[in-house]
Amino acid sequence: MKRIVRAATAAALACSLALPAGTAAGAAEAGAGARGGGADRAAVAPLALPAPTGPHPVGSTVLPLVDRSRTDPWVPTADGRRLMVTLHYPAARAGGGTPAPYATREEARRIAEGLGLGGAVPADVLAATRTHGRTDVRPAPGRRPLVLLSPGFSVSRWTLTHLAEDLASRGYVVASVDHAYESYGITLPGGETLPCVACAALDEEGVPGGVVTATRAADMRFVLDRLTGPRPAWRHAGVIDARRIGMAGHSIGGASATATMAADRRVDAGVNMDGAFWEDLPAEGLRGRPFLLLGTDETHRPGGPDATWDRMWPRLDGWRRWLTVTGSAHGTFSDFPLIERHFGLPGPDLAADRAVALTRTYVAAFFDRHLRGASGRLFGGPSPDHPEVRFQNP
């Protein structure tokens, strides 16, 4: 079964565009075979995301934003640049509100079909995935660091939900952003679902990936303006501490974290989860700000197939770590290991529970160190508790 990476020889850059999974035929076969056994149960019972590990219950709200100061690069006739933002945050108390949705059925259908999984992943079951957020409940008191999250190309913000919920439970406000026309399906408040116009632009028209990272950097600047500016879009925006802002992303969303930091001094720390870089940083690098590379050992070890990490490493001029995870695949750092396991799809050697635990542990430890002043002992070297994680020293 082909993994959901547009992979192969140009894997270094192709991995930045998508997530791991399979061909339509392979996925359908896997799903059909599994339905003879345990996947029948999975087909009727929605996936439940793992419980967050922090002390706070989690609140959730969705903010539709439109930047009318810019022309959308993929659909110039659109009414501005549309973004869908899900905020996760520490809630004042458990309960209240209603369970936060995972995805719309149309989003789930289009993404499953776009990734060749329509025969193995029923859209209504995927959309009904159970989350731990409660909608529009009151935030816990206090000022909180803000973390921006950007997903992989062709997929949506909800593929990073387990990480967003966990960070919120640990005391962060998390803004997961969908970028218009860069996903197989993004549903707007009125019910319209935007297609992935950018997919054809990159695959068929030769548009470089740097257009995506530059566009996402502008998107994140606008999101920061609307969350921390004088007339914030969220009525509880006062809980955000605008002096402590980080960004993490998966795949091309990870590459967008460096592009955002280069363009916006407000972002204090960044994480790239297995994304190839499409553009070099400027000569001044990140002006001393910290950055974490967290990726697959197969693709992103020094001297591996993706040479962009080797090339970018010297330009990361502040605190930096380069970590790879043994047995991982491109989707390891998202919700995809959980989806693969639930629907009986082949997965990498690294078990889904370990993928979730490692991603949550290292991303949270990074932001705890650089946005909260924690010790960061986890980054002192290899840990016997996490033997899959390799510290690279190129």
Side-chain angles (χ1 to χ4, degrees), residues 82-118:
R82 293 187 175 273
L83 306 172
M84 291 296 293
V85 180
T86 296
L87 293 177
H88 291 94
Y89 53 90
R93 60 181 179 85
T98 57
Y102 187 65
T104 69
R105 187 186 185 284
E106 186 63 10
E107 286 173 336
R109 183 188 71 79
R110 291 196 189 190
I111 286 181
E113 290 184 358
L115 298 176
L117 300 175

Side-chain angles (χ1 to χ4, degrees), residues 64-65 82-84 104 107 180-181 186-194:
L65 301 177
R82 293 187 175 273
L83 306 172
M84 291 296 293
T104 69
E107 286 173 336
Y181 304 109
I186 299 172
T187 301
L188 302 179
E192 178 187 4
T193 300
L194 304 181

Side-chain angles (χ1 to χ4, degrees), residues 38-47 125 341-344:
D40 266 342
R41 292 188 295 276
V44 297
L47 164 67
V125 180
R341 181 179 65 183
H342 188 75
F343 291 102

